[in-house]
Amino acid sequence: MFDLSKQTTCMIKGIAVSLIVLSHITSGNRLLSGMGLSNVILLFILSGYGLTKRYGLSSKEAFFKQRILKLYIPYLIVALIDVLILVKLPFQTKILTLLCLDWKFSTDVSMWYIATLFLWYTLFGIVLKIKIKSIYKLGIVILAGLILKLQKIGLGGENTQRGSHICVPVPLLFHWEYC
């Protein structure tokens, strides 16, 4: 089994993010704009890998609190600026946005990736706490991913990204003993 260090995954993520940005900038160029989806998939796989690996090595409670806070606090700051200053929205949509549950992305469609990761972190945290055999936990996470794909939840704005988030639980297939 291969093992990637945090430094290695950060470097790969940095390259992937750069290529995603490049694909957005060059959206008219078929060759370069096509790099976006493959690098989004790579980011989701690496996020799932880090989630799985770190979960197996640390305190379970502290791990999920740290993951969610690390993701949610920056999101909340941007969302607050959006809903309070920049975008006029109904009160209910503002609340959904602040809770990371506005799947229409009424304020900023680019937040789909963060909202989807937040959803996966929450799902991992709930499922991995259940006291059942690891193989059943793996099955529940994969089934949940398929349901999310079929329900088109957390999918981003562009058709090319639809379903890419299903890659998040892939690393669990290789490290399910951590469950």
Side-chain angles (χ1 to χ4, degrees), residues 4 18 38 47-48 52 70 81 91 119 125 136 152 157 163 165 167:
L4 299 173
S18 299
S38 57
S47 293
T52 304
K70 185 177 178 182
I81 292 168
F91 180 74
L119 178 70
Y136 297 141
K152 298 180 179 167
H165 73 288
C167 299

Side-chain angles (χ1 to χ4, degrees), residues 4 6 33 36 43 45 51-52 56 68 72-73 98 101 128 130 152 155 160 169 179:
L4 299 173
K6 184 174 182 175
S33 65
L43 280 177
I45 290 172
L51 189 64
T52 304
I68 289 173
Y72 186 65
I73 298 299
L98 294 175
L101 295 173
L128 296 179
I130 301 171
K152 298 180 179 167
L155 297 177
T160 56
C179 296

Side-chain angles (χ1 to χ4, degrees), residues 5-158:
S5 70
K6 184 174 182 175
Q7 181 181 9
T8 301
T9 59
C10 283
M11 287 189 311
I12 296 170
K13 284 180 182 180
I15 293 168
V17 167
S18 299
L19 291 172
I20 290 167
V21 169
L22 181 63
S23 77
H24 281 282
I25 292 170
T26 61
S27 60
N29 182 317
R30 281 187 159 272
L31 175 66
L32 296 176
S33 65
M35 291 187 302
L37 177 60
S38 57
N39 284 289
V40 166
I41 290 171
L42 179 60
L43 280 177
F44 276 129
I45 290 172
L46 289 173
S47 293
Y49 176 79
L51 189 64
T52 304
K53 185 175 178 184
R54 295 288 306 149
Y55 179 81
L57 300 175
S58 64
S59 154
K60 310 312 182 221
E61 293 296 321
F63 172 74
F64 282 104
K65 285 179 186 170
Q66 177 189 9
R67 290 280 87 190
I68 289 173
L69 289 177
K70 185 177 178 182
L71 184 65
Y72 186 65
I73 298 299
Y75 169 85
L76 185 60
I77 292 167
V78 172
L80 278 168
I81 292 168
D82 277 348
V83 301
L84 296 177
I85 300 170
L86 300 177
V87 183
K88 301 239 185 267
L89 296 170
F91 180 74
Q92 180 181 357
T93 305
K94 288 181 178 186
I95 297 299
L96 288 173
T97 299
L98 294 175
L99 295 174
C100 211
L101 295 173
D102 175 21
W103 294 109
K104 294 178 185 175
F105 305 103
S106 305
T107 59
D108 185 353
V109 74
S110 67
M111 290 297 193
W112 76 270
Y113 183 81
I114 301 297
T116 303
L117 275 182
F118 187 74
L119 178 70
W120 275 109
Y121 286 172
T122 304
L123 182 65
F124 267 62
I126 292 168
V127 171
L128 296 179
K129 280 180 122 180
I130 301 171
K131 296 194 183 304
I132 56 175
K133 289 183 178 182
S134 296
I135 194 73
Y136 297 141
K137 292 178 187 182
L138 175 64
I140 291 169
V141 169
I142 291 172
L143 180 63
L146 292 172
I147 291 169
L148 292 174
K149 181 179 176 3
L150 293 173
Q151 293 299 311
K152 298 180 179 167
I153 294 176
L155 297 177
E158 297 178 25

